[in-house]
DNA sequence: CGTATTTGACCAGCGC
DNA sequence: GCGCTGGTCAAATACG
């Protein structure tokens, strides 16, 4: 059983820490309740994390399978999802990990489609979805699901890179 | 040529 | 039971 203590795992990578810290400072990220309130609430800060239940659902095991049935002993696992809103004109919020887009769906309440991303690391089942609010075009809701158990592969050592991201984030 | 993205189809959960 | 909505897969395509 794994617990999900926080949004971002504390990795020894100082650059990561810097990145997340930078993110917090530049953009006001707020937690939104996905369980009861959904994101339709225009309230400023809605802390969430509704679900508990830490379930590690192995994905990349032995190639691709069309699994109609779930694994043994697990049913509808609702692992916690961490969502935070970000004021940004860009929906590509690079947190240092490499994401592969695996789906895109249109949401009823929003005019903009929701993008589904998954971490490209093998054994890392971290998923995230990015959704832009139709109410506020400059508001992007990013929902993280799961935790990374591996270091960042992106070269955030470059301060220029970080600065560049900061410029992007502060483009509003 | 290898990898990421796009896009339609498929499926499961939920409400009526 | 049926239809709607959300979530995922996988083939095709784009891009380096």
């Amino acid at each position: 059983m794994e617990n999900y203590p926080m949004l971002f795992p504390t990795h020894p990578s100082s650059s990561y820490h810097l990145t997340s810290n930078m993110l917090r400072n530049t953009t006001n990220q707020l937690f939104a309740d996905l369980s009861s309130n959904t994101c339709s609430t225009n309230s400023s800060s809605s802390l969430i994390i509704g679900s508990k239940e830490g379930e590690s659902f192995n994905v990349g095991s032995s190639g691709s399978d069309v699994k109609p049935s779930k694994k043994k002993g697990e049913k509808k696992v609702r692992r916690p999802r961490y969502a935070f809103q970000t004021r940004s004109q860009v929906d590509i919020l690079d947190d240092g990990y490499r994401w592969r887009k695996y789906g895109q769906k249109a949401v009823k309440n929003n005019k903009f489609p929701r993008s589904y991303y998954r971490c490209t690391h093998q054994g890392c089942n971290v998923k995230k979805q990015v959704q832009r609010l139709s109410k506020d075009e400059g508001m992007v809701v990013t929902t993280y699901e799961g935790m990374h158990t591996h270091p960042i592969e992106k070269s955030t050592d470059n301060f220029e890179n970080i600065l560049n991201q900061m410029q992007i984030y502060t483009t509003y």
Side-chain angles (χ1 to χ4, degrees):
Chain A
M1 54 299 260
E2 311 164 21
N3 49 356
Y4 299 85
M6 62 191 72
L7 256 341
F8 303 103
T10 49
H11 278 299
S13 307
S14 55
S15 47
Y16 179 82
H17 188 273
L18 182 67
T19 309
S20 57
N21 192 12
M22 173 266 295
L23 248 165
R24 292 186 181 184
N25 285 333
T26 48
T27 67
N28 52 334
Q29 47 187 236
L30 320 164
F31 293 92
D33 193 330
L34 301 176
S35 304
S36 45
N37 265 343
T38 64
C39 49
S40 56
T41 53
N42 53 351
S43 41
S44 305
S45 51
S46 311
L47 204 292
I48 35 118
I49 303 174
S51 347
K52 55 287 167 115
E53 182 69 75
E55 214 301 68
S56 54
F57 138 49
N58 41 346
V59 155
S61 56
S62 62
S64 55
D65 56 333
V66 249
K67 50 24 345 156
S69 3
K70 296 94 205 274
K71 291 307 171 71
K72 73 261 189 91
E74 61 189 87
K75 32 265 150 133
K76 44 300 277 321
V77 245
R78 203 136 293 271
R79 44 186 177 278
R81 298 193 296 186
Y82 314 105
F84 58 87
Q85 300 179 0
T86 306
R87 268 206 186 273
S88 177
Q89 295 294 330
V90 292
D91 41 335
I92 311 294
L93 265 45
D94 206 332
D95 45 9
Y97 293 98
R98 184 129 297 171
W99 303 93
R100 188 188 92 256
K101 190 176 195 175
Y102 69 91
Q104 179 173 317
K105 279 293 262 190
V107 197
K108 215 42 191 300
N109 289 330
N110 288 359
K111 317 183 321 184
F112 303 99
R114 177 185 300 167
S115 301
Y116 298 93
Y117 297 90
R118 179 174 286 176
C119 191
T120 57
H121 272 291
Q122 182 179 1
C124 183
N125 340 300
V126 180
K127 287 177 283 189
K128 105 176 164 180
Q129 52 186 244
V130 180
Q131 179 179 7
R132 189 186 296 272
L133 295 179
S134 59
K135 187 191 241 327
D136 287 300
E137 188 180 325
M139 187 69 78
V140 174
V141 180
T142 307
T143 306
Y144 286 89
E145 191 169 330
M147 266 180 57
H148 296 280
T149 53
H150 55 88
I152 303 182
E153 36 181 302
K154 190 177 182 181
S155 57
T156 48
D157 295 339
N158 266 345
F159 274 102
E160 288 191 73
N161 204 346
I162 298 175
L163 286 174
N164 189 18
Q165 291 187 52
M166 288 183 71
Q167 289 181 4
I168 293 177
Y169 291 137
T170 56
T171 184
Y172 62 89

